[in-house]
Amino acid sequence: MVELKTNTSIDAMREAGRVVAQALAAARKHAAVGVSLLDLDEVARDVLREAGATSPFLGYRPSFAPTPFPAVICASVNDAIVHGIPDGYRLRDGDLVSIDCGAQLDGWAGDSAISFTVGTPRPEDLTLIETAERALAAGIAAAVVGNRIGDIAHAVGTVGRAGGYGIPQDFGGHGIGRQMHEDPPVPNEGRAGRGMPLRHGMVLAIEPMLIAGGKDDYHEAADGWTLRTNDRSRAAHAEHTVAITDEGPRILTAL
């Protein structure tokens, strides 16, 4: 069931989204060679704490997970696509890092992700990240009243495939509101004109995930959470929470 949010609710979600954006910005600013992933998680925790927000990630346990998630961010490095658990790993020169973060504030959720490099970047990593961001922008542009879920999926997938990248199947975007994960699912590839019609008040987390090697294959790491590319090529992840309104898409997780 899809809950259509009122304009007042969308404004409240914007406040949750603002906290997410601030947490991601703080983590990115703190990231440097020698900094641990646990350090980045602590930075994000501080932002949430100061804002009076809680984490929908911390303690989350979907059906596929062997244990509750132990952190407030997902920190995925190099060949990790998504759902990386922050640990004592210290960032190295040239690492590609994807950080996913959520916040719950006054009963509403926000969810967003960024990818960036640490130290001296590889040109191919910058292209991968830029393409993921363009895919996200294309998906957001398609998130208009009168379109369908398939139009968002088609827009995201077209940009990713044109870049020669793989797109992991079975994982994509989702509805969001009082809970972090709500209906409807938002695939990262699909046919235009298909799927649920988009209506004013729908709020979606749109999140392209691209694999540099060009293949879609991935596997679950031993921790039961992290998804890694089978060919060990690098991956990038970009995400915003977006409200569909009669005035056009409204990004709720921008700074």
Side-chain angles (χ1 to χ4, degrees):
M1 179 178 175
V2 176
E3 177 192 4
L4 297 179
K5 280 71 175 178
T6 65
N7 291 339
T8 300
S9 297
I10 291 172
D11 287 342
M13 290 190 70
R14 168 59 178 146
E15 295 311 306
R18 198 186 310 275
V19 175
V20 175
Q22 291 167 349
L24 287 173
R28 181 172 188 169
K29 182 177 180 180
H30 193 74
V33 174
V35 172
S36 78
L37 300 182
L38 283 172
D39 291 336
L40 300 186
D41 185 68
E42 191 58 41
V43 167
R45 286 176 190 252
D46 287 344
V47 173
L48 267 60
R49 190 180 302 116
E50 290 172 9
T54 58
S55 169
F57 287 21
L58 185 63
Y60 180 59
R61 188 178 183 181
S63 59
F64 67 81
T67 57
F69 196 78
V72 306
I73 63 170
C74 296
S76 306
V77 180
N78 297 332
D79 65 323
I81 307 167
V82 286
H83 302 163
I85 297 176
D87 57 17
Y89 176 83
R90 294 190 178 277
L91 295 172
R92 301 171 183 173
D93 187 54
D95 277 347
L96 193 166
V97 185
S98 297
I99 304 290
D100 193 352
C101 184
Q104 198 95 23
L105 183 68
D106 297 329
W108 296 101
D111 188 11
S112 184
I114 58 173
S115 293
F116 55 89
T117 58
V118 174
T120 306
R122 300 181 181 185
E124 58 269 29
D125 287 346
L126 297 180
T127 301
L128 174 64
I129 293 167
E130 187 268 337
T131 305
E133 292 171 348
R134 282 197 294 110
L136 174 58
I140 293 171
V144 297
V145 173
N147 272 0
R148 292 176 177 267
I149 291 289
D151 293 302
I152 298 175
H154 179 72
V156 169
T158 297
V159 173
R161 294 299 187 192
Y165 298 118
I167 298 174
Q169 305 301 303
D170 305 319
F171 286 89
H174 49 88
I176 183 171
R178 297 186 183 278
Q179 304 296 325
M180 179 171 62
H181 289 132
E182 298 182 352
D183 289 332
V186 185
N188 284 328
E189 196 164 29
R191 296 181 64 180
R194 299 294 183 92
M196 182 178 293
L198 304 180
R199 298 171 58 190
H200 177 92
M202 292 175 69
V203 182
L204 307 174
I206 302 172
E207 50 178 322
M209 307 163 196
L210 302 181
I211 298 173
K215 296 182 179 179
D216 302 348
D217 303 325
Y218 64 89
H219 63 276
E220 188 179 88
D223 61 23
W225 276 98
T226 309
L227 301 184
R228 294 189 179 275
T229 62
N230 280 0
D231 62 5
R232 304 296 301 274
S233 67
R234 295 186 171 200
H237 180 203
E239 178 183 16
H240 271 310
T241 296
V242 181
I244 295 164
T245 77
D246 290 329
E247 292 73 40
R250 180 182 176 190
I251 301 174
L252 305 182
T253 44
L255 274 177

